[in-house]
Amino acid sequence: MSQLIKQFTVDGFLTASECNAQKEMPLPMLVQRLIDVATLHANAIDIGYSRLVTFGATWVLSRVTLEIERMPGVNEPYSLTTWVESVTRLYSERCFALTTADGEVIARARTMWIAINISTRRPTDLTVIPNITAVINDRDPGVERRPRLKRVEGVGEVDRYRFRTCDIDFNRHVNSTRYVELLLNHWPVDFFDENRIVMFDIQYHHEALFGQEARVAVSDPDSDGAVAIEIAGEETPFVLASMRTQPR
Amino acid sequence: MSQLIKQFTVDGFLTASECNAQKEMPLPMLVQRLIDVATLHANAIDIGYSRLVTFGATWVLSRVTLEIERMPGVNEPYSLTTWVESVTRLYSERCFALTTADGEVIARARTMWIAINISTRRPTDLTVIPNITAVINDRDPGVERRPRLKRVEGVGEVDRYRFRTCDIDFNRHVNSTRYVELLLNHWPVDFFDENRIVMFDIQYHHEALFGQEARVAVSDPDSDGAVAIEIAGEETPFVLASMRTQPR
């Protein structure tokens, strides 16, 4: 451990060109920023990709759970703070707080990361990294632990999409944020004028590749008002998600 | 003019999750960054959106011309510097240099912006803004002035795409960077393993809206090896572009 920075913050400023139609930070941009800030913090405390590779391992994002009071608006400064909540043999949880210039927390996140062996693509034991648990910070993220997401059954009409060049990332899989876009695209732009996302939970399952076709299926709302969403290939789901919106 | 900052630089660091399949900064991300850095500089010298609105006007991006030696790679720090090259009654040209940590320029850009009247959506006279020409910097961007782009004629097979929720920006038009993605998606991901983009020129014409369908047409290469690209609706082009690639 080169340094022990138990909390790491990156400041941002939301420009007009980054905003969505509702003049707010788009959800896919927030997910991208979570991943970027996680990467910068992991590098800073020397548990990043370049350290894991010396153990034949790499980080894979497994789940993102977000609770959102509001998103930053146009020309609004914001800060994104991250810390490591847990490290076990099989996974690490990393949490986030999105705050305004006044220090008010407007969104909270818990993410789950697994380390996989680069050759076998199977999970690998994180605790082989000396002293890795020393980075744990006991700050409470204020994010509910939700049950594991399930497949969406019995939905008739689905959207279809074939992954293309700009959807592909560094690992030649579909970029994590593209799934978020793809599932939001199920709704017309006007839906988000009238409703805001208050909870968003996404589990990454099988990695989609260039040229693969995805089906997007969305359930009816449950008793809490959350819809279940599945983006799947021919046989296996790429991601499962849950989203709750509220009238603005 | 609150301050006179004739050159404005933002530093960045390319994380793995931001990279494309070639482990480089994606072209759409560079275009997005140009727009963001332009916005921050315009705000800093008080010729941004919030000042123009007091004249009943807003900025509209009209053209981006890029010459690229190489893109930043994964975990590479970079800087993006911008300055105003010209201001006339009808438009302003703003240039950019993308540099490495050593100060080497690896990409250059010239962008053209027009100011339009918010009500009429017609071009408005920029020189009504007191002293606006004082921001001009005579630094040479090293970007060739290219002829105006023309429509693509006589192309048989075209791609089709319908604009969706996450394609829509602040002004409820299709986001400027989405057209860049859409035209790059004409090629398979492997094409960019073997070829790199050395010149990219895009002119913005008519603003596409949610739900509109676009056709993407690409010409054969000209004698310089550049292809002409058009993204058009039923009658009018949304954007015209030109791109030259070279074997890596």
Side-chain angles (χ1 to χ4, degrees), chain A residues 13 15-18 20-21 23 32 35-36 40 74 164-166 169-170 172 178 181 185 187-190 193 210, chain B residues 13 15-18 20-21 23 32 35-36 40 74 164-166 169-170 172 178 181 185 187-190 193 210:
Chain A
F13 175 87
T15 65
S17 70
E18 290 175 319
N20 60 16
K23 300 184 167 47
Q32 176 73 46
I35 298 169
D36 293 341
L40 293 172
V74 61
R164 304 176 73 182
T165 295
C166 292
D169 76 1
F170 185 84
R172 302 188 80 86
R178 292 295 172 149
E181 293 186 0
N185 281 342
W187 287 270
V189 68
D190 299 355
D193 295 339
F210 174 78
Chain B
F13 176 86
T15 66
S17 69
E18 291 175 318
N20 60 16
K23 300 183 167 50
Q32 177 74 43
I35 298 169
D36 293 341
L40 293 172
V74 61
R164 303 177 74 182
T165 295
C166 292
D169 75 2
F170 186 83
R172 302 188 81 85
R178 292 294 170 150
E181 292 186 359
N185 281 341
W187 288 269
V189 67
D190 299 355
D193 295 339
F210 174 78

CSV table of all heavy atoms in Angstrom, one decimal, chain A residues 13 15-18 20-21 23 32 35-36 40 74 164-166 169-170 172 178 181 185 187-190 193 210, chain B residues 13 15-18 20-21 23 32 35-36 40 74 164-166 169-170 172 178 181 185 187-190 193 210:
chain,number,residue,atom,x,y,z
A,13,PHE,N,-17.8,20.0,-12.5
A,13,PHE,CA,-18.7,21.2,-12.9
A,13,PHE,C,-19.5,20.7,-14.1
A,13,PHE,O,-18.9,20.3,-15.1
A,13,PHE,CB,-17.8,22.4,-13.2
A,13,PHE,CG,-18.6,23.6,-13.7
A,13,PHE,CD1,-19.1,24.5,-12.8
A,13,PHE,CD2,-18.9,23.8,-15.0
A,13,PHE,CE1,-19.9,25.6,-13.2
A,13,PHE,CE2,-19.6,24.9,-15.5
A,13,PHE,CZ,-20.1,25.8,-14.5
A,15,THR,N,-21.3,21.1,-17.3
A,15,THR,CA,-21.5,22.0,-18.4
A,15,THR,C,-22.8,21.7,-19.1
A,15,THR,O,-23.3,20.6,-19.0
A,15,THR,CB,-20.3,22.0,-19.4
A,15,THR,OG1,-20.3,20.7,-20.0
A,15,THR,CG2,-19.0,22.2,-18.7
A,16,ALA,N,-23.3,22.7,-19.8
A,16,ALA,CA,-24.6,22.5,-20.6
A,16,ALA,C,-24.5,21.4,-21.5
A,16,ALA,O,-25.4,20.6,-21.7
A,16,ALA,CB,-24.9,23.8,-21.3
A,17,SER,N,-23.3,21.2,-22.2
A,17,SER,CA,-23.2,20.2,-23.2
A,17,SER,C,-23.2,18.8,-22.6
A,17,SER,O,-23.4,17.8,-23.3
A,17,SER,CB,-22.0,20.4,-24.1
A,17,SER,OG,-20.8,20.2,-23.3
A,18,GLU,N,-22.9,18.7,-21.3
A,18,GLU,CA,-23.0,17.4,-20.7
A,18,GLU,C,-24.4,17.0,-20.2
A,18,GLU,O,-24.7,15.8,-19.9
A,18,GLU,CB,-22.1,17.3,-19.4
A,18,GLU,CG,-20.6,17.4,-19.8
A,18,GLU,CD,-19.7,17.5,-18.5
A,18,GLU,OE1,-20.1,18.3,-17.6
A,18,GLU,OE2,-18.7,16.9,-18.5
A,20,ASN,N,-28.5,16.2,-19.9
A,20,ASN,CA,-29.6,15.6,-20.7
A,20,ASN,C,-30.7,16.6,-21.0
A,20,ASN,O,-30.6,17.8,-20.7
A,20,ASN,CB,-30.1,14.3,-20.0
A,20,ASN,CG,-30.7,14.7,-18.6
A,20,ASN,OD1,-31.0,15.8,-18.3
A,20,ASN,ND2,-30.8,13.7,-17.8
A,21,ALA,N,-31.8,16.1,-21.6
A,21,ALA,CA,-32.9,16.9,-22.0
A,21,ALA,C,-33.6,17.6,-20.8
A,21,ALA,O,-34.2,18.7,-20.9
A,21,ALA,CB,-34.0,16.1,-22.7
A,23,LYS,N,-31.9,19.0,-18.4
A,23,LYS,CA,-30.9,19.9,-18.0
A,23,LYS,C,-30.2,19.5,-16.7
A,23,LYS,O,-29.9,20.3,-15.8
A,23,LYS,CB,-31.5,21.4,-17.8
A,23,LYS,CG,-32.0,21.9,-19.1
A,23,LYS,CD,-32.5,23.4,-18.9
A,23,LYS,CE,-32.8,24.1,-20.2
A,23,LYS,NZ,-33.6,23.4,-21.3
A,32,GLN,N,-20.6,6.4,-15.3
A,32,GLN,CA,-19.2,6.6,-15.8
A,32,GLN,C,-18.3,7.3,-14.8
A,32,GLN,O,-17.2,6.8,-14.6
A,32,GLN,CB,-19.3,7.4,-17.1
A,32,GLN,CG,-17.9,7.7,-17.8
A,32,GLN,CD,-17.3,6.5,-18.4
A,32,GLN,OE1,-17.9,5.7,-19.1
A,32,GLN,NE2,-16.0,6.3,-18.2
A,35,ILE,N,-17.2,5.0,-12.0
A,35,ILE,CA,-16.2,4.1,-12.4
A,35,ILE,C,-14.8,4.8,-12.5
A,35,ILE,O,-13.8,4.3,-12.0
A,35,ILE,CB,-16.5,3.4,-13.7
A,35,ILE,CG1,-17.8,2.6,-13.5
A,35,ILE,CG2,-15.4,2.5,-14.2
A,35,ILE,CD1,-18.4,2.1,-14.9
A,36,ASP,N,-14.8,6.0,-13.0
A,36,ASP,CA,-13.6,6.8,-13.2
A,36,ASP,C,-13.0,7.1,-11.8
A,36,ASP,O,-11.8,7.0,-11.6
A,36,ASP,CB,-13.8,8.1,-14.0
A,36,ASP,CG,-14.2,7.8,-15.4
A,36,ASP,OD1,-14.0,6.7,-15.9
A,36,ASP,OD2,-14.8,8.7,-16.0
A,40,LEU,N,-9.4,6.0,-10.2
A,40,LEU,CA,-8.4,7.0,-9.7
A,40,LEU,C,-8.0,6.7,-8.2
A,40,LEU,O,-6.9,6.7,-7.8
A,40,LEU,CB,-8.9,8.4,-9.8
A,40,LEU,CG,-9.1,8.9,-11.3
A,40,LEU,CD1,-9.7,10.2,-11.3
A,40,LEU,CD2,-7.7,8.9,-12.0
A,74,VAL,N,-27.5,22.1,-14.5
A,74,VAL,CA,-26.5,22.8,-15.4
A,74,VAL,C,-25.7,23.9,-14.7
A,74,VAL,O,-26.3,24.6,-13.9
A,74,VAL,CB,-27.3,23.4,-16.7
A,74,VAL,CG1,-28.3,24.4,-16.3
A,74,VAL,CG2,-26.3,23.9,-17.7
A,164,ARG,N,-22.6,-1.9,-31.3
A,164,ARG,CA,-21.8,-1.3,-32.4
A,164,ARG,C,-20.5,-0.8,-31.9
A,164,ARG,O,-20.2,-0.9,-30.7
A,164,ARG,CB,-22.6,-0.2,-33.2
A,164,ARG,CG,-24.0,-0.8,-33.6
A,164,ARG,CD,-24.9,0.3,-34.3
A,164,ARG,NE,-24.3,0.6,-35.6
A,164,ARG,CZ,-24.9,1.6,-36.4
A,164,ARG,NH1,-25.9,2.2,-36.0
A,164,ARG,NH2,-24.3,1.8,-37.6
A,165,THR,N,-19.7,-0.3,-32.9
A,165,THR,CA,-18.3,0.1,-32.6
A,165,THR,C,-18.1,1.0,-31.3
A,165,THR,O,-17.3,0.7,-30.5
A,165,THR,CB,-17.7,0.8,-33.8
A,165,THR,OG1,-17.7,-0.2,-34.9
A,165,THR,CG2,-16.3,1.3,-33.6
A,166,CYS,N,-18.9,2.0,-31.2
A,166,CYS,CA,-18.7,3.0,-30.1
A,166,CYS,C,-19.3,2.5,-28.8
A,166,CYS,O,-19.1,3.1,-27.8
A,166,CYS,CB,-19.3,4.3,-30.5
A,166,CYS,SG,-18.4,5.2,-31.8
A,169,ASP,N,-15.6,-1.3,-25.2
A,169,ASP,CA,-14.6,-0.7,-24.3
A,169,ASP,C,-13.3,-1.3,-24.5
A,169,ASP,O,-13.0,-2.1,-25.3
A,169,ASP,CB,-15.2,-0.7,-22.9
A,169,ASP,CG,-15.1,-2.1,-22.3
A,169,ASP,OD1,-14.6,-3.1,-22.9
A,169,ASP,OD2,-15.5,-2.3,-21.1
A,170,PHE,N,-12.4,-0.8,-23.6
A,170,PHE,CA,-11.0,-1.2,-23.4
A,170,PHE,C,-10.8,-2.7,-23.4
A,170,PHE,O,-9.8,-3.2,-24.0
A,170,PHE,CB,-10.7,-0.7,-22.0
A,170,PHE,CG,-9.3,-0.9,-21.6
A,170,PHE,CD1,-8.3,0.0,-21.9
A,170,PHE,CD2,-9.0,-2.0,-20.7
A,170,PHE,CE1,-7.0,-0.1,-21.5
A,170,PHE,CE2,-7.7,-2.1,-20.3
A,170,PHE,CZ,-6.7,-1.2,-20.7
A,172,ARG,N,-12.8,-4.8,-24.9
A,172,ARG,CA,-13.5,-5.3,-26.1
A,172,ARG,C,-14.9,-5.9,-25.7
A,172,ARG,O,-15.4,-6.7,-26.5
A,172,ARG,CB,-12.6,-6.2,-27.0
A,172,ARG,CG,-11.3,-5.5,-27.4
A,172,ARG,CD,-10.5,-6.3,-28.4
A,172,ARG,NE,-11.1,-6.1,-29.8
A,172,ARG,CZ,-10.8,-5.2,-30.6
A,172,ARG,NH1,-10.0,-4.2,-30.2
A,172,ARG,NH2,-11.3,-5.1,-31.8
A,178,ARG,N,-23.1,1.8,-21.4
A,178,ARG,CA,-24.0,1.6,-22.6
A,178,ARG,C,-25.2,0.9,-22.2
A,178,ARG,O,-26.3,1.1,-22.8
A,178,ARG,CB,-23.2,0.9,-23.7
A,178,ARG,CG,-22.1,1.8,-24.3
A,178,ARG,CD,-22.7,3.0,-25.0
A,178,ARG,NE,-21.6,3.9,-25.3
A,178,ARG,CZ,-21.7,4.7,-26.4
A,178,ARG,NH1,-22.8,4.8,-27.2
A,178,ARG,NH2,-20.7,5.5,-26.7
A,181,GLU,N,-27.6,3.4,-20.8
A,181,GLU,CA,-28.3,4.1,-21.9
A,181,GLU,C,-29.4,3.3,-22.6
A,181,GLU,O,-30.5,3.7,-22.8
A,181,GLU,CB,-27.3,4.5,-22.9
A,181,GLU,CG,-26.3,5.6,-22.4
A,181,GLU,CD,-25.4,6.1,-23.5
A,181,GLU,OE1,-25.6,5.7,-24.7
A,181,GLU,OE2,-24.6,7.0,-23.2
A,185,ASN,N,-33.3,4.1,-22.8
A,185,ASN,CA,-33.9,4.4,-24.1
A,185,ASN,C,-35.2,3.7,-24.3
A,185,ASN,O,-35.9,3.9,-25.3
A,185,ASN,CB,-32.9,4.0,-25.2
A,185,ASN,CG,-31.9,5.1,-25.4
A,185,ASN,OD1,-32.0,6.2,-25.0
A,185,ASN,ND2,-30.8,4.7,-26.0
A,187,TRP,N,-37.7,4.2,-22.6
A,187,TRP,CA,-38.8,5.3,-22.3
A,187,TRP,C,-38.5,6.5,-23.2
A,187,TRP,O,-37.4,6.8,-23.5
A,187,TRP,CB,-38.7,5.7,-20.8
A,187,TRP,CG,-39.2,4.7,-19.9
A,187,TRP,CD1,-40.5,4.6,-19.5
A,187,TRP,CD2,-38.5,3.6,-19.3
A,187,TRP,NE1,-40.6,3.5,-18.6
A,187,TRP,CE2,-39.4,2.9,-18.5
A,187,TRP,CE3,-37.2,3.2,-19.3
A,187,TRP,CZ2,-39.1,1.8,-17.7
A,187,TRP,CZ3,-36.8,2.1,-18.5
A,187,TRP,CH2,-37.7,1.4,-17.8
A,188,PRO,N,-39.6,7.1,-23.6
A,188,PRO,CA,-39.4,8.3,-24.5
A,188,PRO,C,-38.9,9.5,-23.6
A,188,PRO,O,-39.0,9.5,-22.4
A,188,PRO,CB,-40.9,8.7,-24.9
A,188,PRO,CG,-41.8,8.0,-23.9
A,188,PRO,CD,-41.0,6.8,-23.4
A,189,VAL,N,-38.3,10.5,-24.2
A,189,VAL,CA,-37.6,11.6,-23.5
A,189,VAL,C,-38.6,12.3,-22.6
A,189,VAL,O,-38.2,12.7,-21.5
A,189,VAL,CB,-36.9,12.5,-24.5
A,189,VAL,CG1,-37.9,13.2,-25.4
A,189,VAL,CG2,-36.0,13.4,-23.8
A,190,ASP,N,-39.9,12.4,-23.0
A,190,ASP,CA,-40.9,13.1,-22.2
A,190,ASP,C,-41.1,12.4,-20.9
A,190,ASP,O,-41.5,13.1,-19.9
A,190,ASP,CB,-42.2,13.1,-22.9
A,190,ASP,CG,-42.1,13.9,-24.3
A,190,ASP,OD1,-41.0,14.4,-24.5
A,190,ASP,OD2,-43.1,13.9,-25.0
A,193,ASP,N,-39.2,14.0,-18.3
A,193,ASP,CA,-39.6,15.4,-17.9
A,193,ASP,C,-40.6,15.4,-16.8
A,193,ASP,O,-40.6,16.3,-15.9
A,193,ASP,CB,-40.4,16.0,-19.1
A,193,ASP,CG,-39.5,16.3,-20.3
A,193,ASP,OD1,-38.3,16.3,-20.2
A,193,ASP,OD2,-40.1,16.4,-21.4
A,210,PHE,N,-19.1,-7.0,-29.6
A,210,PHE,CA,-19.5,-6.3,-30.8
A,210,PHE,C,-20.3,-7.2,-31.7
A,210,PHE,O,-20.0,-8.4,-31.9
A,210,PHE,CB,-18.2,-5.9,-31.6
A,210,PHE,CG,-18.5,-5.3,-32.9
A,210,PHE,CD1,-18.8,-4.0,-33.0
A,210,PHE,CD2,-18.4,-6.1,-34.1
A,210,PHE,CE1,-19.1,-3.5,-34.3
A,210,PHE,CE2,-18.6,-5.6,-35.3
A,210,PHE,CZ,-19.0,-4.3,-35.4
B,13,PHE,N,-6.9,13.1,-17.4
B,13,PHE,CA,-6.2,11.9,-17.3
B,13,PHE,C,-7.1,10.8,-17.8
B,13,PHE,O,-8.3,10.7,-17.4
B,13,PHE,CB,-5.9,11.6,-15.8
B,13,PHE,CG,-5.3,10.3,-15.5
B,13,PHE,CD1,-3.9,10.1,-15.5
B,13,PHE,CD2,-6.1,9.2,-15.1
B,13,PHE,CE1,-3.3,8.9,-15.2
B,13,PHE,CE2,-5.5,8.0,-14.9
B,13,PHE,CZ,-4.1,7.8,-14.9
B,15,THR,N,-8.7,7.5,-18.1
B,15,THR,CA,-8.9,6.2,-17.3
B,15,THR,C,-9.2,5.1,-18.3
B,15,THR,O,-9.7,5.3,-19.4
B,15,THR,CB,-10.0,6.3,-16.2
B,15,THR,OG1,-11.2,6.5,-16.9
B,15,THR,CG2,-9.7,7.5,-15.3
B,16,ALA,N,-9.0,3.9,-17.8
B,16,ALA,CA,-9.3,2.7,-18.6
B,16,ALA,C,-10.8,2.7,-19.1
B,16,ALA,O,-11.1,2.4,-20.2
B,16,ALA,CB,-9.0,1.4,-17.9
B,17,SER,N,-11.7,3.1,-18.2
B,17,SER,CA,-13.1,3.0,-18.5
B,17,SER,C,-13.5,4.0,-19.5
B,17,SER,O,-14.6,3.9,-20.1
B,17,SER,CB,-13.9,3.1,-17.2
B,17,SER,OG,-13.9,4.4,-16.7
B,18,GLU,N,-12.7,5.0,-19.8
B,18,GLU,CA,-13.1,6.0,-20.8
B,18,GLU,C,-12.6,5.6,-22.2
B,18,GLU,O,-13.0,6.1,-23.2
B,18,GLU,CB,-12.4,7.3,-20.4
B,18,GLU,CG,-13.0,8.0,-19.2
B,18,GLU,CD,-12.3,9.3,-18.8
B,18,GLU,OE1,-11.1,9.3,-18.9
B,18,GLU,OE2,-13.0,10.3,-18.5
B,20,ASN,N,-11.6,3.5,-25.7
B,20,ASN,CA,-12.3,2.7,-26.7
B,20,ASN,C,-11.6,1.3,-26.8
B,20,ASN,O,-10.7,1.0,-26.0
B,20,ASN,CB,-12.4,3.4,-28.1
B,20,ASN,CG,-11.1,3.8,-28.6
B,20,ASN,OD1,-10.0,3.2,-28.2
B,20,ASN,ND2,-11.0,4.7,-29.6
B,21,ALA,N,-12.0,0.5,-27.8
B,21,ALA,CA,-11.5,-0.8,-28.0
B,21,ALA,C,-10.0,-0.8,-28.3
B,21,ALA,O,-9.3,-1.8,-28.1
B,21,ALA,CB,-12.2,-1.6,-29.0
B,23,LYS,N,-7.9,1.1,-26.8
B,23,LYS,CA,-7.2,1.6,-25.6
B,23,LYS,C,-6.8,3.0,-25.8
B,23,LYS,O,-5.7,3.4,-25.2
B,23,LYS,CB,-6.1,0.7,-25.2
B,23,LYS,CG,-6.5,-0.8,-24.9
B,23,LYS,CD,-5.4,-1.6,-24.4
B,23,LYS,CE,-5.8,-2.9,-23.8
B,23,LYS,NZ,-6.7,-3.8,-24.6
B,32,GLN,N,-16.6,15.9,-27.3
B,32,GLN,CA,-17.3,16.4,-26.1
B,32,GLN,C,-16.4,17.3,-25.2
B,32,GLN,O,-16.8,18.3,-24.8
B,32,GLN,CB,-17.7,15.2,-25.3
B,32,GLN,CG,-18.4,15.5,-24.0
B,32,GLN,CD,-19.8,16.0,-24.1
B,32,GLN,OE1,-20.6,15.5,-24.9
B,32,GLN,NE2,-20.1,17.0,-23.3
B,35,ILE,N,-16.0,20.8,-26.6
B,35,ILE,CA,-17.2,21.6,-26.3
B,35,ILE,C,-17.2,22.1,-24.9
B,35,ILE,O,-17.4,23.2,-24.5
B,35,ILE,CB,-18.5,20.9,-26.7
B,35,ILE,CG1,-18.5,20.5,-28.2
B,35,ILE,CG2,-19.7,21.6,-26.3
B,35,ILE,CD1,-19.6,19.6,-28.6
B,36,ASP,N,-16.8,21.1,-24.0
B,36,ASP,CA,-16.8,21.5,-22.5
B,36,ASP,C,-15.8,22.5,-22.2
B,36,ASP,O,-16.0,23.5,-21.5
B,36,ASP,CB,-16.5,20.2,-21.7
B,36,ASP,CG,-17.6,19.2,-21.8
B,36,ASP,OD1,-18.8,19.6,-22.1
B,36,ASP,OD2,-17.4,18.0,-21.4
B,40,LEU,N,-16.3,26.3,-20.7
B,40,LEU,CA,-15.6,26.8,-19.5
B,40,LEU,C,-14.8,28.1,-19.8
B,40,LEU,O,-14.8,29.1,-19.0
B,40,LEU,CB,-14.7,25.7,-18.9
B,40,LEU,CG,-15.4,24.5,-18.4
B,40,LEU,CD1,-14.4,23.4,-18.0
B,40,LEU,CD2,-16.3,24.8,-17.2
B,74,VAL,N,-4.3,4.9,-22.6
B,74,VAL,CA,-4.8,4.6,-21.3
B,74,VAL,C,-3.8,5.0,-20.2
B,74,VAL,O,-2.6,4.9,-20.4
B,74,VAL,CB,-5.2,3.1,-21.1
B,74,VAL,CG1,-3.9,2.2,-21.4
B,74,VAL,CG2,-5.8,2.8,-19.8
B,164,ARG,N,-32.9,8.3,-29.9
B,164,ARG,CA,-33.6,7.9,-28.7
B,164,ARG,C,-33.3,8.8,-27.5
B,164,ARG,O,-32.5,9.8,-27.7
B,164,ARG,CB,-33.2,6.4,-28.4
B,164,ARG,CG,-33.5,5.5,-29.6
B,164,ARG,CD,-33.1,4.1,-29.4
B,164,ARG,NE,-34.0,3.4,-28.5
B,164,ARG,CZ,-33.8,2.2,-28.1
B,164,ARG,NH1,-32.8,1.5,-28.6
B,164,ARG,NH2,-34.7,1.6,-27.2
B,165,THR,N,-33.8,8.5,-26.4
B,165,THR,CA,-33.8,9.3,-25.2
B,165,THR,C,-32.4,9.8,-24.8
B,165,THR,O,-32.2,11.0,-24.6
B,165,THR,CB,-34.5,8.6,-24.0
B,165,THR,OG1,-35.8,8.4,-24.4
B,165,THR,CG2,-34.4,9.4,-22.7
B,166,CYS,N,-31.4,8.9,-24.8
B,166,CYS,CA,-30.1,9.3,-24.3
B,166,CYS,C,-29.3,10.0,-25.4
B,166,CYS,O,-28.2,10.5,-25.1
B,166,CYS,CB,-29.3,8.1,-23.8
B,166,CYS,SG,-30.0,7.4,-22.3
B,169,ASP,N,-30.1,16.3,-26.0
B,169,ASP,CA,-29.3,17.2,-25.1
B,169,ASP,C,-30.1,18.3,-24.5
B,169,ASP,O,-31.4,18.3,-24.6
B,169,ASP,CB,-28.1,17.8,-25.9
B,169,ASP,CG,-28.6,18.9,-26.9
B,169,ASP,OD1,-29.8,19.2,-26.9
B,169,ASP,OD2,-27.7,19.4,-27.6
B,170,PHE,N,-29.5,19.1,-23.7
B,170,PHE,CA,-30.0,20.3,-23.1
B,170,PHE,C,-31.0,21.1,-23.9
B,170,PHE,O,-32.0,21.6,-23.3
B,170,PHE,CB,-28.7,21.1,-22.9
B,170,PHE,CG,-28.9,22.4,-22.1
B,170,PHE,CD1,-28.9,22.3,-20.7
B,170,PHE,CD2,-29.1,23.6,-22.7
B,170,PHE,CE1,-29.0,23.5,-20.0
B,170,PHE,CE2,-29.2,24.7,-22.0
B,170,PHE,CZ,-29.2,24.7,-20.6
B,172,ARG,N,-32.8,19.9,-26.3
B,172,ARG,CA,-33.8,18.9,-26.8
B,172,ARG,C,-33.6,18.6,-28.3
B,172,ARG,O,-34.4,18.1,-29.0
B,172,ARG,CB,-35.2,19.3,-26.5
B,172,ARG,CG,-35.5,19.5,-25.0
B,172,ARG,CD,-36.9,19.7,-24.7
B,172,ARG,NE,-37.7,18.5,-24.6
B,172,ARG,CZ,-37.7,17.7,-23.5
B,172,ARG,NH1,-37.1,18.0,-22.4
B,172,ARG,NH2,-38.5,16.6,-23.5
B,178,ARG,N,-23.2,12.6,-30.5
B,178,ARG,CA,-23.9,11.4,-30.9
B,178,ARG,C,-23.8,11.2,-32.4
B,178,ARG,O,-23.8,10.1,-32.9
B,178,ARG,CB,-25.4,11.5,-30.6
B,178,ARG,CG,-25.7,11.4,-29.1
B,178,ARG,CD,-25.2,10.1,-28.5
B,178,ARG,NE,-25.2,10.1,-27.1
B,178,ARG,CZ,-25.5,9.0,-26.3
B,178,ARG,NH1,-25.7,7.9,-26.9
B,178,ARG,NH2,-25.4,9.1,-25.0
B,181,GLU,N,-20.6,9.5,-33.0
B,181,GLU,CA,-20.7,8.0,-32.7
B,181,GLU,C,-21.4,7.3,-33.8
B,181,GLU,O,-21.0,6.2,-34.3
B,181,GLU,CB,-21.5,7.8,-31.4
B,181,GLU,CG,-20.7,8.2,-30.2
B,181,GLU,CD,-21.5,7.9,-28.9
B,181,GLU,OE1,-22.6,7.3,-29.0
B,181,GLU,OE2,-20.9,8.2,-27.8
B,185,ASN,N,-19.9,4.3,-36.1
B,185,ASN,CA,-20.5,3.0,-36.1
B,185,ASN,C,-20.8,2.4,-37.5
B,185,ASN,O,-21.1,1.2,-37.5
B,185,ASN,CB,-21.9,3.1,-35.3
B,185,ASN,CG,-21.7,3.1,-33.8
B,185,ASN,OD1,-20.6,2.7,-33.3
B,185,ASN,ND2,-22.7,3.6,-33.1
B,187,TRP,N,-18.4,1.7,-39.4
B,187,TRP,CA,-17.3,0.7,-39.5
B,187,TRP,C,-17.3,-0.3,-38.4
B,187,TRP,O,-17.7,0.1,-37.2
B,187,TRP,CB,-16.0,1.5,-39.5
B,187,TRP,CG,-15.8,2.2,-40.8
B,187,TRP,CD1,-15.2,1.7,-42.0
B,187,TRP,CD2,-16.2,3.6,-41.1
B,187,TRP,NE1,-15.2,2.7,-42.9
B,187,TRP,CE2,-15.8,3.8,-42.5
B,187,TRP,CE3,-16.8,4.6,-40.4
B,187,TRP,CZ2,-16.0,5.0,-43.1
B,187,TRP,CZ3,-17.1,5.8,-41.0
B,187,TRP,CH2,-16.7,6.0,-42.4
B,188,PRO,N,-16.9,-1.5,-38.6
B,188,PRO,CA,-16.8,-2.5,-37.5
B,188,PRO,C,-15.6,-2.1,-36.6
B,188,PRO,O,-14.7,-1.4,-37.0
B,188,PRO,CB,-16.5,-3.8,-38.2
B,188,PRO,CG,-16.0,-3.4,-39.5
B,188,PRO,CD,-16.5,-2.1,-39.9
B,189,VAL,N,-15.6,-2.6,-35.4
B,189,VAL,CA,-14.6,-2.2,-34.4
B,189,VAL,C,-13.2,-2.6,-34.9
B,189,VAL,O,-12.3,-1.9,-34.6
B,189,VAL,CB,-15.0,-2.9,-33.0
B,189,VAL,CG1,-14.9,-4.4,-33.0
B,189,VAL,CG2,-14.1,-2.3,-31.9
B,190,ASP,N,-13.1,-3.7,-35.6
B,190,ASP,CA,-11.8,-4.1,-36.1
B,190,ASP,C,-11.1,-3.1,-37.1
B,190,ASP,O,-9.9,-3.1,-37.2
B,190,ASP,CB,-11.9,-5.5,-36.9
B,190,ASP,CG,-12.4,-6.6,-36.0
B,190,ASP,OD1,-12.6,-6.3,-34.8
B,190,ASP,OD2,-12.7,-7.7,-36.6
B,193,ASP,N,-8.8,-1.1,-35.3
B,193,ASP,CA,-7.6,-1.7,-34.9
B,193,ASP,C,-6.5,-1.6,-35.9
B,193,ASP,O,-5.3,-1.5,-35.6
B,193,ASP,CB,-7.8,-3.2,-34.7
B,193,ASP,CG,-8.8,-3.6,-33.6
B,193,ASP,OD1,-9.0,-2.7,-32.7
B,193,ASP,OD2,-9.4,-4.7,-33.7
B,210,PHE,N,-35.8,14.0,-31.1
B,210,PHE,CA,-36.2,12.7,-30.5
B,210,PHE,C,-37.1,12.0,-31.5
B,210,PHE,O,-38.1,12.6,-32.0
B,210,PHE,CB,-36.8,12.8,-29.2
B,210,PHE,CG,-37.4,11.5,-28.7
B,210,PHE,CD1,-36.6,10.6,-28.1
B,210,PHE,CD2,-38.7,11.2,-28.8
B,210,PHE,CE1,-37.0,9.4,-27.6
B,210,PHE,CE2,-39.2,10.0,-28.3
B,210,PHE,CZ,-38.4,9.1,-27.7
